[in-house]
Short mmCIF file of all heavy atoms in Angstrom, two decimals:
data_model
loop_
_atom_site.label_atom_id
_atom_site.label_comp_id
_atom_site.label_asym_id
_atom_site.label_seq_id
_atom_site.Cartn_x
_atom_site.Cartn_y
_atom_site.Cartn_z
N ALA A 1710 129.42 77.58 117.75
CA ALA A 1710 129.77 77.26 116.37
C ALA A 1710 128.63 76.53 115.66
O ALA A 1710 128.37 76.72 114.48
CB ALA A 1710 131.03 76.41 116.34
N GLY A 1711 127.92 75.70 116.41
CA GLY A 1711 126.91 74.86 115.78
C GLY A 1711 125.51 75.43 115.82
O GLY A 1711 124.54 74.69 115.66
N VAL A 1712 125.38 76.74 116.02
CA VAL A 1712 124.04 77.29 116.26
C VAL A 1712 123.09 77.04 115.08
O VAL A 1712 121.92 76.69 115.27
CB VAL A 1712 124.11 78.79 116.63
CG1 VAL A 1712 124.72 79.62 115.51
CG2 VAL A 1712 122.73 79.31 117.02
N VAL A 1713 123.60 77.19 113.84
CA VAL A 1713 122.71 76.96 112.69
C VAL A 1713 122.26 75.51 112.66
O VAL A 1713 121.06 75.21 112.55
CB VAL A 1713 123.42 77.35 111.37
CG1 VAL A 1713 122.59 76.91 110.17
CG2 VAL A 1713 123.69 78.84 111.33
N ALA A 1714 123.20 74.60 112.80
CA ALA A 1714 122.86 73.17 112.77
C ALA A 1714 121.91 72.82 113.92
O ALA A 1714 120.99 72.01 113.75
CB ALA A 1714 124.12 72.32 112.84
N ASP A 1715 122.14 73.42 115.08
CA ASP A 1715 121.29 73.11 116.24
C ASP A 1715 119.84 73.50 115.98
O ASP A 1715 118.91 72.77 116.31
CB ASP A 1715 121.81 73.83 117.49
CG ASP A 1715 123.12 73.24 117.99
OD1 ASP A 1715 123.50 72.14 117.52
OD2 ASP A 1715 123.77 73.88 118.84
N VAL A 1716 119.66 74.68 115.40
CA VAL A 1716 118.29 75.11 115.11
C VAL A 1716 117.69 74.23 114.02
O VAL A 1716 116.55 73.78 114.13
CB VAL A 1716 118.25 76.60 114.70
CG1 VAL A 1716 116.86 76.99 114.24
CG2 VAL A 1716 118.69 77.48 115.87
N VAL A 1717 118.46 73.97 112.97
CA VAL A 1717 117.94 73.14 111.87
C VAL A 1717 117.58 71.75 112.38
O VAL A 1717 116.57 71.17 111.95
CB VAL A 1717 118.97 73.09 110.72
CG1 VAL A 1717 118.57 72.05 109.68
CG2 VAL A 1717 119.11 74.47 110.07
N ASN A 1718 118.36 71.23 113.30
CA ASN A 1718 118.04 69.91 113.86
C ASN A 1718 116.67 69.88 114.53
O ASN A 1718 116.01 68.84 114.55
CB ASN A 1718 119.10 69.50 114.89
CG ASN A 1718 120.33 68.95 114.19
OD1 ASN A 1718 120.28 68.62 113.01
ND2 ASN A 1718 121.44 68.89 114.93
N ARG A 1719 116.29 71.01 115.10
CA ARG A 1719 114.97 71.08 115.74
C ARG A 1719 113.82 70.92 114.75
O ARG A 1719 112.67 70.74 115.14
CB ARG A 1719 114.82 72.45 116.43
CG ARG A 1719 115.66 72.61 117.65
CD ARG A 1719 114.90 72.01 118.80
NE ARG A 1719 115.65 72.05 120.04
CZ ARG A 1719 115.05 72.07 121.23
NH1 ARG A 1719 113.73 72.06 121.32
NH2 ARG A 1719 115.77 72.06 122.32
N THR A 1720 114.13 71.11 113.46
CA THR A 1720 113.07 71.11 112.45
C THR A 1720 113.23 69.91 111.51
O THR A 1720 113.01 70.03 110.30
CB THR A 1720 113.13 72.41 111.62
OG1 THR A 1720 114.43 72.44 110.96
CG2 THR A 1720 112.99 73.64 112.47
N SER A 1721 113.60 68.77 112.07
CA SER A 1721 113.81 67.54 111.28
C SER A 1721 114.79 67.77 110.15
O SER A 1721 114.68 67.16 109.09
CB SER A 1721 112.48 67.04 110.69
OG SER A 1721 111.47 67.03 111.67
N GLY A 1722 115.72 68.69 110.34
CA GLY A 1722 116.76 68.91 109.34
C GLY A 1722 116.34 69.78 108.18
O GLY A 1722 117.12 70.00 107.25
N VAL A 1723 115.12 70.27 108.22
CA VAL A 1723 114.60 71.04 107.08
C VAL A 1723 114.99 72.52 107.16
O VAL A 1723 115.29 73.16 106.15
CB VAL A 1723 113.06 70.90 107.02
CG1 VAL A 1723 112.47 71.87 106.00
CG2 VAL A 1723 112.67 69.47 106.68
N GLY A 1724 115.02 73.06 108.36
CA GLY A 1724 115.22 74.51 108.54
C GLY A 1724 113.91 75.13 108.98
O GLY A 1724 112.83 74.60 108.73
N VAL A 1725 114.01 76.28 109.62
CA VAL A 1725 112.78 76.94 110.09
C VAL A 1725 112.03 77.53 108.91
O VAL A 1725 112.61 77.88 107.88
CB VAL A 1725 113.08 78.05 111.12
CG1 VAL A 1725 113.62 77.45 112.41
CG2 VAL A 1725 114.02 79.10 110.56
N ASP A 1726 110.73 77.64 109.09
CA ASP A 1726 109.90 78.25 108.04
C ASP A 1726 110.11 79.75 107.96
O ASP A 1726 110.00 80.35 106.89
CB ASP A 1726 108.41 77.99 108.36
CG ASP A 1726 108.06 76.52 108.37
OD1 ASP A 1726 108.44 75.82 107.41
OD2 ASP A 1726 107.41 76.07 109.34
N VAL A 1727 110.39 80.35 109.11
CA VAL A 1727 110.38 81.82 109.20
C VAL A 1727 111.54 82.31 110.05
O VAL A 1727 111.82 81.75 111.12
CB VAL A 1727 109.06 82.30 109.85
CG1 VAL A 1727 109.12 83.80 110.16
CG2 VAL A 1727 107.87 82.00 108.95
N LEU A 1728 112.22 83.35 109.56
CA LEU A 1728 113.21 84.06 110.36
C LEU A 1728 112.69 85.46 110.66
O LEU A 1728 112.24 86.16 109.76
CB LEU A 1728 114.53 84.20 109.58
CG LEU A 1728 115.55 85.18 110.18
CD1 LEU A 1728 116.12 84.64 111.49
CD2 LEU A 1728 116.67 85.49 109.19
N LEU A 1729 112.77 85.84 111.95
CA LEU A 1729 112.52 87.22 112.34
C LEU A 1729 113.86 87.80 112.78
O LEU A 1729 114.38 87.41 113.82
CB LEU A 1729 111.49 87.29 113.48
CG LEU A 1729 110.19 86.53 113.27
CD1 LEU A 1729 109.28 86.69 114.51
CD2 LEU A 1729 109.46 86.99 112.02
N GLU A 1730 114.42 88.68 111.97
CA GLU A 1730 115.75 89.21 112.24
C GLU A 1730 115.61 90.53 113.00
O GLU A 1730 115.11 91.50 112.47
CB GLU A 1730 116.50 89.42 110.92
CG GLU A 1730 117.99 89.29 111.05
CD GLU A 1730 118.62 90.24 112.07
OE1 GLU A 1730 118.50 91.46 111.89
OE2 GLU A 1730 119.20 89.76 113.06
N MET A 1731 116.09 90.53 114.24
CA MET A 1731 115.87 91.68 115.11
C MET A 1731 117.15 92.15 115.77
O MET A 1731 117.10 92.84 116.79
CB MET A 1731 114.83 91.31 116.14
CG MET A 1731 113.50 91.02 115.44
SD MET A 1731 112.15 90.77 116.58
CE MET A 1731 110.76 91.16 115.50
N SER A 1732 118.29 91.77 115.17
CA SER A 1732 119.56 92.16 115.77
C SER A 1732 120.29 93.24 114.97
O SER A 1732 121.01 94.05 115.54
CB SER A 1732 120.48 90.93 115.86
OG SER A 1732 120.95 90.59 114.57
N GLY A 1733 120.13 93.23 113.66
CA GLY A 1733 120.92 94.14 112.82
C GLY A 1733 122.36 93.72 112.70
O GLY A 1733 123.16 94.41 112.07
#
Side-chain angles (χ1 to χ4, degrees):
Chain A
V1712 62
V1713 171
D1715 290 347
V1716 173
V1717 170
N1718 280 344
R1719 289 275 177 154
T1720 61
S1721 313
V1723 170
V1725 293
D1726 298 312
V1727 171
L1728 167 69
L1729 309 179
E1730 209 303 299
M1731 297 187 157
S1732 73

